[in-house]
Amino acid sequence: MVYSVKTFNNINQIGLKELGNQFQIDGDKADNPDAYIIRSQNLHGVDFPSNLKAIARAGAGTNNIPIDDATAAGIVVFNTPGANANAVKEAVVASILLSARDYIAANAWVNTLSGDDVPKQVEAGKKQFAGTEIRGKKLGVIGLGAIGSRIANDARRLGMTVFGYDPYVSIEAAWNISHHVRRVKDIKEIFANCDYITIHVPLTPDTKHTFNKEAFNLMQKGTTVINFARAELVDNAALFDAIEAGVVKRYITDFGSEELLNKDKVTVFPHVGGSTEEAELNCAIMAGQEIRQFIETGEITNSVNFPNVHQVQTAPYRITLINKNVPNIVANISTAVSNLGINIDNIINRSKGDYAYTLIDLDEEDKSKIDILVAEFEASDNIVRVRLIAK
């Protein structure tokens, strides 16, 4: 069987080879594909085709995907956390250095000079760009995931004193964070103590405007704020007041908007933090691996709307169910199987919010029985999507 994959944007072709021979890349022309692989394509307001089973975002953020709509339609949404982490880390470290020495303004100034005495003009004017060293300065990292943990570790190696805040840090990330990084329990400690602050958290109702009037009021004068996560994490009106008051020495962001452009002490990059050849390849590879694993085996890794589910298939048939997270659903599923005299070899059910993912391996060779069971599941009001996978 050959599966159809519709790609949007420029997905690295080498990375797409991870899909293997059972997948056909149909670019943006496929009418009813099994999967999407996208980067920045905005899917809000788009009608999903009936056959669509999965969407893989070649990147970490999924704000361009209507997650709730996809979940209700039984579509598993994946992202690629960590695939571009090193690229963003390097962009943030470069931003810290650029802020400390103001290299961008220095370059702009020197390019205004002219005449045979340019060297003399350079020597006479260079004092205005005498910056500071980052060694010994305090860096606050908000969010210690794949990106934040890398920044914390590298900044410490550069001689900075690093404070980290993340109440939800994963065990895996925690293992990778240097013990020299000072974990704080209250984000206010970051605002009050650090010379540089960088944020690496998803945009949620709780994190929107993390940098607001109250946050800026806690900061010491001359603080540099760096945002390579999401634009809405910063309240721009409060930011401009903080710049005017001298609290924020420089704001560096990867998210441009008209109100930020051509502002004194604001440096805007065109969303290139994760845009390296290596990162784009890594994202494409991970997206291809996630789609292939899910379509071929039903297993889930790195989904944003369903839990991770892994189970080695040893039985002849596997049924995967995306179901509403309601009482007795697993019992009802098991009863339907037993009523047909089918033995369950293995079953796993994991929930996330209002929906759950159930994976059932069936020790049954009679395909007609399996087909009857699939039809019963498809007729259930509490089951959104049913898939049958033969070993």
Side-chain angles (χ1 to χ4, degrees), residues 72-257:
I75 299 169
V76 180
V77 179
F78 299 89
N79 67 348
T80 57
N84 64 357
N86 189 71
V88 178
K89 176 209 72 175
E90 291 185 0
V92 171
V93 172
S95 297
I96 294 171
L97 294 167
L98 287 171
S99 174
R101 303 294 292 273
D102 205 4
Y103 284 122
I104 294 177
N107 174 257
W109 173 79
V110 78
N111 279 308
T112 65
L113 306 180
S114 61
D116 295 336
D117 63 340
V118 165
K120 290 184 177 180
Q121 294 180 58
V122 166
E123 291 303 314
K126 70 179 184 180
K127 291 182 179 180
Q128 62 185 303
F129 301 108
T132 60
E133 297 181 13
I134 66 172
R135 184 176 182 83
K137 301 302 188 297
K138 296 176 181 177
L139 170 68
V141 182
I142 301 172
L144 294 169
I147 297 171
S149 60
R150 284 173 168 84
I151 293 168
N153 290 342
D154 280 12
R156 197 204 66 78
R157 295 186 188 105
L158 290 171
M160 303 188 80
T161 299
V162 182
F163 297 78
Y165 172 78
D166 191 335
Y168 308 109
V169 63
S170 68
I171 294 175
E172 181 180 358
W175 275 106
N176 293 324
I177 300 171
S178 168
H179 68 276
H180 294 287
V181 174
R182 304 182 185 182
R183 291 280 306 280
V184 301
K185 296 182 179 180
D186 191 332
I187 196 172
K188 293 178 181 179
E189 294 184 52
I190 297 285
F191 298 142
N193 292 297
C194 295
D195 306 292
Y196 298 83
I197 303 174
T198 181
I199 187 166
H200 303 279
V201 300
L203 178 63
T204 68
D206 290 335
T207 62
K208 183 178 181 180
H209 290 177
T210 295
F211 290 95
N212 52 27
K213 181 178 180 181
E214 290 73 23
F216 289 123
N217 285 342
L218 291 171
M219 294 180 192
Q220 56 190 323
K221 287 198 171 184
T223 302
T224 295
V225 176
I226 301 170
N227 178 14
F228 277 73
R230 281 291 176 267
E232 295 84 355
L233 297 172
V234 176
D235 180 345
N236 287 341
L239 168 70
F240 296 148
D241 289 341
I243 291 174
E244 182 70 23
V247 171
V248 173
K249 181 180 73 173
R250 181 161 297 278
Y251 176 55
I252 303 176
T253 182
D254 206 24
F255 304 97
S257 64

Side-chain angles (χ1 to χ4, degrees), residues 56-61 78-85 282-288 290 302:
R57 159 78 165 93
F78 299 89
N79 67 348
T80 57
N84 64 357
N282 291 339
C283 287
I285 288 174
M286 187 178 292
E290 292 164 349
N302 294 328

Side-chain angles (χ1 to χ4, degrees), residues 31 48 116 130 147 216 221 229 268 291 304 331 338-339 354:
D31 293 327
F48 293 127
D116 295 336
I147 297 171
F216 289 123
K221 287 198 171 184
V268 182
I291 291 294
V304 299
S338 64
N339 286 344
D354 294 332

